Amino acid sequence: MKTKKIIVASLLSLTAVTVFGQNEFHTSTEPCLFNQQHERLLNENEEYRKNMEQNEAFYQTYLKAQHQEEKTIKTIPVVVHVIHVGEAIGSGTNISDAQIQSAISSINDAYSKAGNFANTNGVNTQLQFCLAVQDPNGATTTGINRVNGSSVNDFTAHGLTTSGTNNEVDVKALSKWPNDKYYNVWIVGGIDGNMGGNGKHGFAYFPGTPANKDGAVILYNAFGTTGNLGSDNQNTTFIHETGHALSLYHTFQGDGSGSTCPGNTTCGQDSDCVDDTPPHMRTVATCNLNGTNSCDNNSANTLYMNNFMNYGHCTNMFTAGQTTRINAALAGSRAGWLTSLGCQAVTTGGGNTGSGAGITSTTADQTLSFSPNPSNGKLQVTIPASFELNSIIIYNEVGKIVKQFEMTSLTESSKNSYSIDLSELATGNYFVKINDEAKMNRITLLK
């Protein structure tokens, strides 16, 4: 949907969580819990609300810069936490390795317009996902973390709950990995009591969510394309929820739970903030590709019906506009996923914590280096002789510019090397952008 105004919408009341519906992702009016969780955080967490405002401002700045999207593949490390209740591997909620592998294979096809999605009208997002092969301590891992969750209050009876006993944080605390380096995905036996049956099949959070909640939650029988599955056997839930984790709204954002056409004026309130997705009301358990959209001057239903961020019964694509928004998230608040070592096999001396020796990055076929990394506030930026340096911009983890150096203010400390002072910044993780390049490089300040 095209947007005219940008705000973060904060509702005064929360939509009640619906527990009962049909056992299929696309047959419940609200098979995804994203909206309720997003609205709840906007109302209850001031830091989250500010993060959303900063993220959206960064995204819109990114979009206005009209970036020429990179054709290189970006890979996100995934850790799958199977929270079971003591079953043997491959039985009940303790799903098999093969089922998990099928989910990764399917989502890679979906985001690259390959396999079963090759002949759709969508685009290749140039995005791939790997099961992590290196854990946060630099050790070899399968990217699959199996944990018995029966010790958590109410988990055996009702699964992960977001209201009532509200054990979500306790469940995730059993196993979560750093959310700035890994995409955490929790597989559970139930969400708010549905126990693999009716109602919600999953949810995920936008970037900027508190670390104790960030990630995706998927029902055990709605994850993957083979194994212990219910009627959602096409991995649709995982593909859809990952869109939210990458800052995509539902394409029908603002449709009043399916009762009204979105106004298509305010990003995040009655618009999904994407120009090439028309405003529409959600579709549930249908796939009417021959109809017209009354919310968009009777344009063809095909402009939204197949979109993964709709609830239609035949979703199979992302648009170019959605891809650009994803890239904005990966250039800003999710940039840490791309600099993580999670997808790199462990080698002697390896690790994901940084050695202090610095990092190198290739951009526009030229190598830049940043050292030391981690840094105590003094950072040395070295560029190749052929590279024309114009500016150095520092962003915080939510994509806000916190420091900017123009060429006129930089002093060459040695040949092709410039020292910049970041000592006034607080301890934490930051991202460096050179000139107007789309790529960012992660640095850590330790004090």
Side-chain angles (χ1 to χ4, degrees):
M1 300 178 205
K2 193 171 183 179
T3 65
K4 297 177 182 177
K5 294 189 294 185
I6 303 167
I7 66 168
V8 174
S10 179
L11 302 186
L12 295 178
S13 61
L14 297 177
T15 304
V17 175
T18 302
V19 174
F20 302 104
Q22 297 297 314
N23 184 20
E24 186 172 332
F25 180 76
H26 297 299
T27 57
S28 170
T29 303
E30 283 289 353
C32 166
L33 198 58
F34 162 77
N35 278 347
Q36 289 94 326
Q37 296 299 88
H38 175 61
E39 291 162 6
R40 177 177 294 162
L41 283 171
L42 286 175
N43 280 279
E44 297 177 355
N45 190 309
E46 178 67 14
E47 182 179 0
Y48 178 79
R49 188 186 65 78
K50 289 180 179 178
N51 286 346
M52 294 306 100
E53 291 174 347
Q54 291 172 350
N55 285 351
E56 198 58 52
F58 176 80
Y59 299 160
Q60 296 303 319
T61 299
Y62 181 95
L63 298 179
K64 290 175 183 176
Q66 296 183 332
H67 289 269
Q68 182 177 356
E69 303 299 355
E70 295 180 54
K71 297 302 180 183
T72 55
I73 295 174
K74 304 176 183 70
T75 304
I76 294 172
V78 179
V79 54
V80 176
H81 309 278
V82 181
I83 312 299
H84 57 86
V85 289
E87 307 101 317
I89 295 175
S91 175
T93 64
N94 197 0
I95 61 175
S96 68
D97 287 3
Q99 183 169 340
I100 294 168
Q101 292 286 355
S102 77
I104 299 298
S105 177
S106 170
I107 197 172
N108 281 336
D109 283 348
Y111 278 78
S112 62
K113 195 183 175 183
N116 291 334
F117 308 103
N119 296 318
T120 67
N121 293 323
V123 301
N124 179 353
T125 69
Q126 303 291 332
L127 196 61
Q128 292 285 274
F129 302 82
C130 82
L131 277 174
V133 293
Q134 184 172 163
D135 74 10
N137 297 317
T140 297
T141 179
T142 63
I144 300 172
N145 192 14
R146 298 181 184 275
V147 181
N148 189 326
S150 57
S151 63
V152 175
N153 180 39
D154 203 29
F155 182 77
T156 300
H158 294 104
L160 184 146
T161 57
T162 62
S163 59
T165 55
N166 198 1
N167 63 18
E168 177 186 0
V169 170
D170 291 336
V171 171
K172 292 180 175 180
L174 293 172
S175 60
K176 65 182 174 68
W177 287 12
N179 66 316
D180 61 336
K181 295 175 182 171
Y182 299 88
Y183 176 28
N184 287 276
V185 178
W186 284 272
I187 306 303
V188 298
I191 299 175
D192 289 326
N194 63 1
M195 306 317 292
N198 303 326
K200 305 296 184 292
H201 279 196
F203 63 96
Y205 289 99
F206 268 176
T209 295
N212 63 351
K213 288 190 173 184
D214 192 23
V217 175
I218 312 290
L219 281 183
Y220 75 99
N221 60 355
F223 186 71
T225 59
T226 186
N228 191 0
L229 295 170
S231 55
D232 178 13
N233 57 10
Q234 298 301 312
N235 206 39
T236 307
T237 302
F238 184 35
I239 297 166
H240 176 98
E241 301 307 338
T242 299
H244 291 315
L246 292 164
S247 288
L248 295 184
Y249 284 96
H250 292 129
T251 53
F252 51 80
Q253 182 71 16
D255 76 338
S257 298
S259 62
T260 185
C261 287
N264 199 28
T265 58
T266 305
C267 171
Q269 181 171 309
D270 61 1
S271 164
D272 69 348
C273 316
V274 175
D275 284 352
D276 59 2
T277 57
H280 70 94
M281 288 186 283
R282 71 191 65 193
T283 53
V284 180
T286 62
C287 186
N288 180 10
L289 297 176
N290 297 317
T292 58
N293 178 9
S294 61
C295 298
D296 187 46
N297 296 318
N298 292 320
S299 62
N301 278 357
T302 52
L303 296 178
Y304 72 86
M305 187 69 69
N306 295 135
N307 198 289
F308 280 122
M309 302 312 293
N310 178 31
Y311 286 165
H313 199 32
C314 50
T315 59
N316 58 27
M317 60 167 281
F318 291 105
T319 69
Q322 288 173 316
T323 300
T324 299
R325 186 172 173 87
I326 288 171
N327 283 329
L330 291 171
S333 45
R334 291 294 194 203
W337 286 357
L338 302 186
T339 57
S340 168
L341 301 183
C343 293
Q344 297 183 25
V346 175
T347 58
T348 302
N352 208 0
T353 56
S355 64
I359 58 173
T360 59
S361 172
T362 300
T363 180
D365 298 322
Q366 301 177 82
T367 301
L368 308 169
S369 68
F370 307 85
S371 64
N373 187 40
S375 168
N376 63 0
K378 301 290 186 180
L379 185 69
Q380 201 73 22
V381 180
T382 303
I383 64 173
S386 58
F387 191 88
E388 183 178 350
L389 180 64
N390 296 319
S391 64
I392 301 173
I393 305 172
I394 313 296
Y395 294 85
N396 63 15
E397 286 192 293
V398 298
K400 181 180 180 180
I401 295 176
V402 293
K403 196 80 173 176
Q404 185 164 350
F405 303 88
E406 299 298 332
M407 183 61 189
T408 54
S409 66
L410 293 171
T411 301
E412 194 171 27
S413 55
S414 61
K415 188 171 178 59
N416 302 318
S417 187
Y418 300 85
S419 178
I420 60 175
D421 186 358
L422 304 178
S423 58
E424 66 186 64
L425 300 181
T427 297
N429 295 310
Y430 296 86
F431 304 96
V432 184
K433 177 182 279 191
I434 302 296
N435 298 346
D436 292 324
E437 297 287 340
K439 186 178 293 184
M440 291 190 183
N441 301 277
R442 183 187 184 85
I443 61 170
T444 301
L445 296 183
L446 299 177
K447 297 182 179 182

